[in-house]
Amino acid sequence: MQHAQSRVRSRRWIGRGGLASLAALIAFGILPALPALAASWSPPVSLPGSCGSSVAVNRAGAMAAGGTFTAADGTTHVQVCTSPDGKTWQAADLGPGGTEPHGGQHPAVALSPDGHAIAVWGATACSPICDYIVQAAVRPPGGAWGAPVTLTTDLYFGGGGIVLGMDGAGNAIAAWVGNYADESHYAVLPAGGSWGPVQTLSNGNVQGAAHNLGLAVTPDGSIVVAFAGGNDAIWAASGTVLGGLSAPVVVASGDYQKDSAPKVALDDAGQASLVWSRSGGTEAATRSPAGTWSARVVLSSQSSSSVATAIDGAGNAISVFGSSYSWHLAGGTWRPATALPAGSSGGLVVADPAGTFVYADSSGNAFTFGSGATSFGPGSGSRGSLADLKIVPGLAVMLAAGTVSAEAVS
């Protein structure tokens, strides 16, 4: 087959008025020492199968986790574990797959408010010519996983990954990079319905060869998909799960600097944070509620193989890169890079609308804090290699070394 070659918070919530005052103080160069929260994570629960790649959680506390294992015949199979409460788990073998693409989660999983679980992954299909395909499976609440369906036979085997998101009504969107014509694509699964047709996200003749996808979906159904295109420029497309995506807009021009996968965060007001890294440094941009992207800002002159960002409902954002982090509080600008807690680097960061932020480093040590915090406080203690981190109002979940830990954040 021919392959494309171009390829803590405080104990009382800080209200929006308080956040505005805080932003004003910061604008004058006064940064108060905000306290962190002591993390209180449950003991790790070992998953019953090889589901250590991705995790999803809903507000009821139900969870899903996905990964791959080697079957008796030597082939790679997709396995998904589900739980009604994060304590008792059941594993299911969804069949061959999970070997493609080279990057990203294998598989990606999502969970609706009513307990519908979705898994999406890539695979190699040879009969007799080999294609790289995208498959998906759905599990109704309390039911069994349905047979996998093929969304496309045009998946790029290299960089890009498959990203999956779901809104508060249970509508899901999956996006991936295609092999043909350097395009990227997406498909939508309406709540209670069937997967819709594959739609084009980016055009190789306009944006160049897409790679390194990032996706953010809000409860109200708003979306931002970010990716690196030709010359490693950074692009972003916006829209809604059911309404589709607009044409991508360029956020930062490219210079062949081998960008890391751009990470994006989005709140219900339409404010967004986007961070990426290239060999000349780590950079970020923000988007206003009106949908306008700012000029890129250099957060660090050092590149990082791992970047992450999160934003709360008031528009306070954080970026984590290498062994540093930077705040962008509502109404302000990106603050100077500050060192993460000693021994921490890489990892993931998430935020809920009310202003709780959780950062977990690459060793699975998690910290909980409020927007603008200058100290992360004590962590959970290292729980093993971090795979995924998610948050919903009231609950944060961490997947590390094949175990799941949870923390109440209400």
Side-chain angles (χ1 to χ4, degrees):
M1 177 178 177
Q2 291 294 108
H3 303 312
Q5 298 300 313
S6 59
R7 304 290 342 168
V8 213
R9 62 184 172 174
S10 63
R11 292 295 178 183
R12 291 173 290 183
W13 293 114
I14 300 173
R16 288 179 183 253
L19 289 170
S21 300
L22 175 60
L25 289 173
I26 291 173
F28 286 99
I30 303 171
L31 187 61
L34 299 179
L37 284 177
S40 179
W41 290 84
S42 65
V45 176
S46 295
L47 296 172
S50 300
C51 303
S53 179
S54 58
V55 71
V57 60
N58 65 17
R59 296 185 67 168
M63 301 181 195
T68 61
F69 72 99
T70 302
D73 61 1
T75 62
T76 301
H77 280 220
V78 173
Q79 190 164 50
V80 180
C81 302
T82 52
S83 172
D85 55 11
K87 299 175 183 178
T88 58
W89 290 83
Q90 183 177 33
D93 178 358
L94 300 188
T99 54
E100 304 295 342
H102 293 173
Q105 296 173 326
H106 295 174
V109 295
L111 194 63
S112 72
D114 67 356
H116 273 85
I118 301 172
V120 181
W121 64 90
T124 304
C126 301
S127 59
I129 299 174
C130 292
D131 288 315
Y132 296 107
I133 67 175
V134 177
Q135 292 190 300
V138 178
R139 176 187 180 271
W145 285 94
V149 298
T150 298
L151 302 185
T152 183
T153 58
D154 179 29
L155 172 67
Y156 178 49
F157 69 97
I162 295 172
V163 290
L164 174 66
M166 181 179 286
D167 66 17
N171 305 300
I173 180 170
W176 60 88
V177 176
N179 192 55
Y180 178 75
D182 293 332
E183 293 180 340
S184 60
H185 308 277
Y186 68 98
V188 171
L189 177 64
S194 301
W195 286 98
V198 173
Q199 302 181 63
T200 299
L201 169 62
S202 68
N203 185 320
N205 292 325
V206 180
Q207 292 86 24
H211 53 289
N212 295 350
L213 296 180
L215 170 68
V217 180
T218 64
D220 71 355
S222 298
I223 312 169
V224 172
V225 182
F227 61 93
N231 300 353
D232 284 328
I234 301 299
W235 296 80
S238 304
T240 63
V241 176
L242 297 183
L245 291 163
S246 65
V249 298
V250 64
V251 178
S253 58
D255 53 8
Y256 293 100
Q257 292 298 299
K258 297 181 180 179
D259 291 346
S260 65
K263 296 301 189 327
V264 62
L266 178 66
D267 70 11
D268 274 343
Q271 300 168 111
S273 171
L274 177 61
V275 60
W276 64 94
S277 183
R278 48 181 41 139
S279 62
T282 300
E283 301 175 348
T286 55
R287 196 185 76 172
S288 70
T292 303
W293 288 98
S294 71
R296 65 182 177 189
V297 173
V298 177
L299 301 180
S300 171
S301 60
Q302 302 295 316
S303 62
S304 173
S305 61
S306 174
V307 298
T309 190
I311 191 168
D312 68 12
N316 302 298
I318 189 173
S319 290
V320 177
F321 42 94
S323 58
S324 302
Y325 70 96
S326 175
W327 281 110
H328 185 288
L329 298 185
T333 58
W334 287 104
R335 305 299 299 172
T338 304
L340 289 166
S344 290
S345 65
L348 299 169
V349 63
V350 294
D352 69 6
T356 300
F357 288 77
V358 178
Y359 163 66
D361 66 21
S362 57
S363 73
N365 189 15
F367 305 84
T368 307
F369 48 95
S371 57
T374 56
S375 169
F376 287 7
S380 63
S382 296
R383 310 226 165 170
S385 179
L386 178 71
D388 206 357
L389 180 70
K390 296 291 172 61
I391 192 170
V392 293
L395 190 67
V397 174
M398 175 171 52
L399 175 63
T403 70
V404 169
S405 302
E407 180 191 30
V409 295
S410 59

